[in-house]
Amino acid sequence: MTTTVTITGTGTPIMHPGVAGPGVLVVSDDVAIQVDVGRGTTMRLSDLGFPLTDLTAVLVTHHHSDHLVGLADLLMSRWLEGGTDPLPVVAPLGEATRIAERVLDLWEGEIEMRRTHTGRRGTASPNVRSFDPQSTPSEVFRVGQVRVLAGAVDHAPVTPAVGYRIETPDGVVAISGDTTICPSLGHLARGADVFVCEAFRREGTTDLLSDPDAIAAYHANSVAVGRLAGEVGVKTLMLTHLIPPIGGSSDKGLFEADVRAGGFSGQVVVADDLAQQIL
Ligand SMILES: [Zn+2]
Ligand SMILES: [Zn+2]
């Protein structure tokens, strides 16, 4: 058996050429889980040659638009590919659940027109499964030999926000979502074979952001990411949701130097879209 982790997008709400919005695809044999569905996720899955009908579930970390804006596209494209059963979408209670439940409401007429025109059956609508996040990670989804745990992270004022820990027969994949460094992030990432973590560098952000201090206050400082990953025994650290994005005065070496300065000595991947690790 193998488990493959693919970053479907390394971006943020700020547009950057050639970079898709946040997302991670975790595939363990016939189980395929997409975590977050940022802009361009469906295009990236197509780039991979991954059939949307092979998706088992979507997990949502929080309701910021950059993590959810691609959901309608994914659901309708999957339906057009022949995925007629409701796709499970696992989301924390609150706004993320509300958005997932209503995401196709505006498209009802279009979907009905296609149904009538082509005889297409089934539904594009998701099967939304909401949960009340706890600071101690707990199981929120299980299929086959894959178990998914979620833990509340600190992305205040955005609440709830969660990270995920996906356990497969091959190992553990942890995904931070958007968060500062907080105790539950350590619980989620403890001993992970691959830890996909957002990373923020204060330097170089002033040209991009209207209020860099406010952004810094709810994202994961890249030096502190390295410290945490070292403390909890992460093997491979994949940095994503990169602020600032790579290019101009920002380069991958600066992010890597930060996590090394934090004390992390394992493998570091400063991800591009479609960066991949295999367990
Ligand atoms: Zn984000
Ligand atoms: Zn966010």
Side-chain angles (χ1 to χ4, degrees):
M1 297 181 84
T2 57
T3 295
T4 305
V5 181
T6 308
I7 310 296
T8 55
T10 57
T12 69
I14 309 298
M15 296 295 294
H16 195 68
V19 175
V24 184
L25 176 69
V26 179
V27 179
S28 174
D29 287 333
D30 59 349
V31 175
I33 294 175
Q34 175 71 36
V35 183
D36 284 338
V37 193
R39 73 168 68 89
T41 297
T42 306
M43 288 289 293
R44 285 290 180 251
L45 292 173
S46 176
D47 292 340
L48 271 179
F50 182 83
L52 299 176
T53 49
D54 283 359
L55 275 177
T56 306
V58 167
L59 311 178
V60 179
T61 61
H62 66 298
H63 61 276
H64 260 155
S65 62
D66 51 321
H67 297 254
L68 263 176
V69 76
L71 182 59
D73 183 23
L74 183 144
L75 291 169
M76 289 191 284
S77 300
R78 173 181 174 272
W79 184 57
L80 292 173
E81 281 190 13
T84 54
D85 54 320
L87 181 68
V89 173
V90 180
L93 277 168
E95 275 297 293
T97 290
R98 190 186 70 82
I99 291 168
E101 285 174 340
R102 298 187 187 178
V103 70
L104 294 186
D105 282 3
L106 287 172
W107 297 97
E108 262 176 13
E110 195 268 1
I111 289 168
E112 192 52 39
M113 178 270 295
R114 285 189 192 276
R115 204 189 299 275
T116 305
H117 182 213
T118 65
R120 193 171 296 280
R121 299 182 184 282
T123 179
S125 295
N127 171 12
V128 180
R129 305 179 184 194
S130 59
F131 63 91
D132 189 11
Q134 310 294 319
S135 56
T136 302
S138 57
E139 183 177 313
V140 294
F141 187 72
R142 182 192 281 263
V143 57
Q145 297 185 75
V146 175
R147 189 165 90 110
V148 177
L149 297 91
V153 293
D154 181 5
H155 192 40
V158 182
T159 57
V162 303
Y164 289 102
R165 179 182 175 95
I166 302 174
E167 300 177 348
T168 81
D170 306 301
V172 171
V173 181
I175 295 162
S176 68
D178 285 6
T179 179
T180 57
I181 302 299
C182 61
S184 60
L185 190 60
H187 297 320
L188 289 164
R190 184 164 298 279
D193 295 278
V194 174
F195 178 31
V196 179
C197 191
E198 69 132 306
F200 176 88
R201 302 189 77 248
R202 180 70 176 75
E203 297 76 10
T205 59
T206 44
D207 296 342
L208 291 168
L209 307 171
S210 55
D211 190 348
D213 292 332
I215 302 301
Y218 73 173
H219 282 296
N221 173 277
S222 48
V223 176
V225 169
R227 187 176 308 121
L228 177 90
E231 286 171 358
V232 301
V234 168
K235 293 191 180 73
T236 296
L237 176 61
M238 298 184 85
L239 300 181
T240 187
H241 201 282
L242 301 169
I243 306 174
I246 302 304
S249 61
S250 172
D251 68 49
K252 292 183 178 183
L254 295 171
F255 280 95
E256 177 160 1
D258 283 354
V259 297
R260 297 298 183 208
F264 182 67
S265 57
Q267 183 184 11
V268 178
V269 177
V270 183
D272 297 307
D273 286 19
L274 300 182
Q276 206 164 65
Q277 287 289 302
I278 298 175
L279 280 69

